[in-house]
Amino acid sequence: MEVVRSQRKSSLPNDAVSTLPLYRSAPPLEVRLEDFEFYAIDRLRVLKGISDGLSRGKKPDEMEKLVYDLWKENMRHPQASEVVNKDIISHFVLRLVYCRTEELRKWFLSMETTLFRHRFLHENPEVQKALFAEFDLPYKVVSRAEYETVKDMLNQVARSIGQSTDAIFYKVPFEEVPELVAGRRVFIKEGNAYIAMSQVVSLVVTQFRSHLSKALVLTNRKWTSMIREQEKDRLTPIIEALSTSYLGPDYSQPTKHTDISLKDIDQIAKSSFPLCMHHLFGKLREDHHLKHGGRMQLGLFLKGMGLKLDDALAFWKAEFSPKVGAERFDKEYAYSIRHNYGKEGKRTDYTPYSCQKIISSTPGVGDHHGCPYRHFSEENLRAALTRMGVGNRALEDVLDKVRNRHYQLACTLTFEAVHGSSCDAGINHPNQYYNDSRKILESPNNSSNP
């Protein structure tokens, strides 16, 4: 099975083997439907891990290790010869997934560019030089004679930024390397910046980003005009689901803390519910009713906590009783609750909603489901977080993440502020929030635990 990495013949020398594709053209090969999805999910784990690392402000050396570990863990293949194929196939599948809206394109472009940067830096200098040549950039290596005339200045710049001196330099217009100029990491003369081989990544990444940005727009046109309709019964459902895929543990069946008693639910809600569920629970107690979206989001969460079907029916019936009589409840609502537990209809055992699914929902007027970090006004969010006990300093950090659309990280910071404990894995699911909270609160070392 052969994959064409580029429309150009590779300029890599025989002894410089690269596993870093440039993704110039889609691979001319057949892919099994299960591999189509599994490969994409594995790559998505890498990109979402990068996104979380960037959101948490990890330093360059920490990001380097994170990207390396993520790639090693998720992008391996039982057959060594298939690793490159998996790499390329997964990229082009996700290109289809993330071409469909401006917001999706922006995220994918940023994460893939970051991934490419770190993988390029991991290559040896000979491979880097050869990959640079593959971009057909109109830059030539500074001649030995010219190098001698500016060598002292180049060495001075290298020492000032703590880099070893490099014998290979390219001369490029300074406006094409703004990040290097802004950081005073290059020598500039007569409008040209002298770029060391070790700094070539800036030029390569700029070209990679530009190519991918244009490719995503073209892919979107093909998707809209042709692919979506042609593949409506096969690939389209997979493509449309992948961008909101939850990649963590399955919470359809509770694994711990299964002895949930109705008499304890108020205290548990106060101490261990994430803000989205805390809000729904409060509105249910206040209004004695929730619309369908709210009942699904909260009901499946309670199921994932370990609330048994009989207790769930009793809970909802009691909460609705001030407005809904017993007969009407049995007729209009009980079926839906039993359905969520796999006891009606297709007998599907429904899974509690992940953060990604909740964030991507679109609550209407009178709805209370969704993600407060995304769907609340800043004023309402500030008030809700204060009621949860988030202090002023942590509150501002949470709001800062919300303004930058890092909703799950905002929830993670809330968890850390409420529990006084770090959550390095980040919050990706409301039931994860609940489980981690109970572990902390029920720990023998917890001072609040009697």
Side-chain angles (χ1 to χ4, degrees):
M1 190 160 61
E2 182 179 336
V3 172
V4 177
R5 279 198 335 188
S6 169
Q7 293 174 339
R8 299 178 65 252
K9 185 177 180 181
S10 175
S11 58
L12 290 172
N14 292 333
D15 60 345
V17 179
S18 172
T19 57
L20 177 57
L22 301 182
Y23 312 107
R24 294 285 179 81
S25 58
L29 49 80
E30 292 185 0
V31 183
R32 292 187 306 169
L33 200 59
E34 60 188 69
D35 288 342
F36 182 92
E37 185 172 9
F38 291 156
Y39 288 2
I41 288 174
D42 283 346
R43 191 183 194 91
L44 200 49
R45 294 183 196 277
V46 176
L47 299 186
K48 289 193 173 182
I50 291 172
S51 179
D52 184 62
L54 292 172
S55 299
R56 295 180 76 88
K58 286 188 178 292
K59 298 175 182 177
D61 57 332
E62 293 174 325
M63 282 302 301
E64 183 178 350
K65 183 180 186 306
L66 174 66
V67 173
Y68 176 81
D69 290 343
L70 285 168
W71 189 264
K72 184 178 179 181
E73 179 182 352
N74 295 289
M75 295 303 291
R76 56 182 179 232
H77 193 282
Q79 300 175 38
S81 60
E82 290 297 305
V83 171
V84 174
N85 285 348
K86 179 178 179 179
D87 179 3
I88 298 173
I89 290 167
S90 63
H91 171 87
F92 278 95
V93 174
L94 291 186
R95 191 182 284 191
L96 269 178
V97 173
Y98 284 89
C99 76
R100 296 174 298 122
T101 69
E102 179 69 28
E103 187 175 357
L104 290 176
R105 287 194 294 272
K106 184 178 179 181
W107 183 86
F108 181 70
L109 183 62
S110 178
M111 296 309 109
E112 279 286 340
T113 300
T114 302
L115 173 61
F116 181 84
R117 172 190 289 274
H118 285 281
R119 292 183 68 196
F120 181 87
L121 288 171
H122 195 69
E123 298 282 7
N124 67 55
E126 282 302 311
V127 171
Q128 289 179 347
K129 185 177 178 181
L131 285 169
F132 180 71
E134 287 209 32
F135 280 95
D136 276 337
L137 298 174
Y139 312 128
K140 295 182 179 179
V141 176
V142 173
S143 67
R144 190 70 193 174
E146 184 177 1
Y147 172 76
E148 289 298 328
T149 66
V150 295
K151 180 172 66 173
D152 291 342
M153 290 303 300
L154 294 176
N155 289 341
Q156 185 177 325
V157 172
R159 286 194 298 272
S160 70
I161 61 176
Q163 283 190 342
S164 59
T165 55
D166 200 325
I168 302 175
F169 281 85
Y170 293 87
K171 189 165 67 174
V172 305
F174 76 92
E175 63 269 19
E176 296 189 19
V177 285
E179 64 179 70
L180 295 179
V181 173
R184 298 190 177 189
R185 288 177 285 165
V186 287
F187 171 60
I188 299 175
K189 180 182 179 183
E190 297 177 354
N192 290 310
Y194 287 73
I195 308 298
M197 190 63 228
S198 58
Q199 297 170 315
V200 155
V201 64
S202 294
L203 286 169
V204 171
V205 167
T206 297
Q207 292 299 314
F208 176 83
R209 185 184 182 92
S210 176
H211 169 77
L212 181 55
S213 179
K214 293 173 184 175
L216 284 169
V217 173
L218 293 175
T219 305
N220 175 247
R221 290 175 188 169
K222 290 181 181 178
W223 168 260
T224 305
S225 64
M226 182 174 59
I227 302 173
R228 180 172 57 190
E229 182 60 27
Q230 286 181 349
E231 297 288 345
K232 65 180 180 180
D233 297 323
R234 194 171 68 109
L235 297 184
T236 297
I238 296 174
I239 293 296
E240 292 181 340
L242 274 170
S243 64
T244 56
S245 291
Y246 168 64
L247 307 176
D250 177 15
Y251 291 101
S252 58
Q253 295 293 336
T255 55
K256 293 183 179 180
H257 314 295
T258 55
D259 298 327
I260 304 300
S261 171
L262 289 180
K263 67 180 178 61
D264 298 326
I265 201 164
D266 282 275
Q267 181 57 41
I268 291 173
K270 183 178 180 181
S271 62
S272 297
F273 277 22
L275 181 55
C276 56
M277 301 305 171
H278 195 274
H279 173 67
L280 280 169
F281 189 81
K283 282 298 178 183
L284 176 61
R285 283 283 159 91
E286 181 182 324
D287 299 338
H288 302 291
H289 193 268
L290 285 175
K291 289 189 174 183
H292 178 73
R295 296 198 303 273
M296 289 294 290
Q297 184 172 311
L298 179 59
L300 289 173
F301 169 75
L302 294 173
K303 175 195 170 192
M305 280 173 48
L307 190 66
K308 301 294 188 255
L309 174 57
D310 288 344
D311 286 338
L313 287 166
F315 168 76
W316 288 102
K317 193 170 190 174
E319 292 303 325
F320 275 37
S321 61
K323 291 186 176 180
V324 177
E327 185 177 343
R328 183 185 166 196
F329 179 87
D330 291 339
K331 184 178 180 180
E332 297 183 17
Y333 299 100
Y335 177 90
S336 177
I337 296 169
R338 290 196 298 271
H339 191 269
N340 284 348
Y341 278 76
K343 303 302 181 182
E344 299 284 0
K346 294 181 180 179
R347 310 280 172 170
T348 301
D349 194 14
Y350 286 90
T351 302
Y353 293 170
S354 67
C355 289
Q356 195 66 41
K357 185 177 179 67
I358 292 170
I359 290 168
S360 63
S361 65
T362 51
V365 176
D367 285 327
H368 297 293
H369 64 283
C371 174
Y373 301 100
R374 182 183 180 190
H375 299 117
F376 277 20
S377 67
E378 184 169 315
E379 181 182 359
N380 287 342
L381 181 58
R382 186 183 290 273
L385 290 168
T386 300
R387 287 194 294 272
M388 283 188 74
V390 179
N392 289 336
R393 184 172 179 180
L395 179 58
E396 294 308 318
D397 289 340
V398 171
L399 292 175
D400 182 62
K401 297 304 179 186
V402 170
R403 294 182 193 112
N404 288 291
R405 299 184 179 183
H406 300 313
Y407 306 118
Q408 288 173 234
L409 185 53
C411 188
T412 302
L413 293 180
T414 301
F415 179 95
E416 293 177 343
V418 170
H419 294 85
S421 177
S422 63
C423 180
D424 294 336
I427 298 297
N428 297 292
H429 198 292
N431 289 90
Q432 174 209 348
Y433 184 109
Y434 166 77
N435 285 350
D436 289 353
S437 172
R438 300 317 299 169
K439 288 176 187 176
I440 292 172
L441 295 177
E442 294 173 6
S443 167
N445 298 323
N446 183 42
S447 58
S448 62
N449 193 26

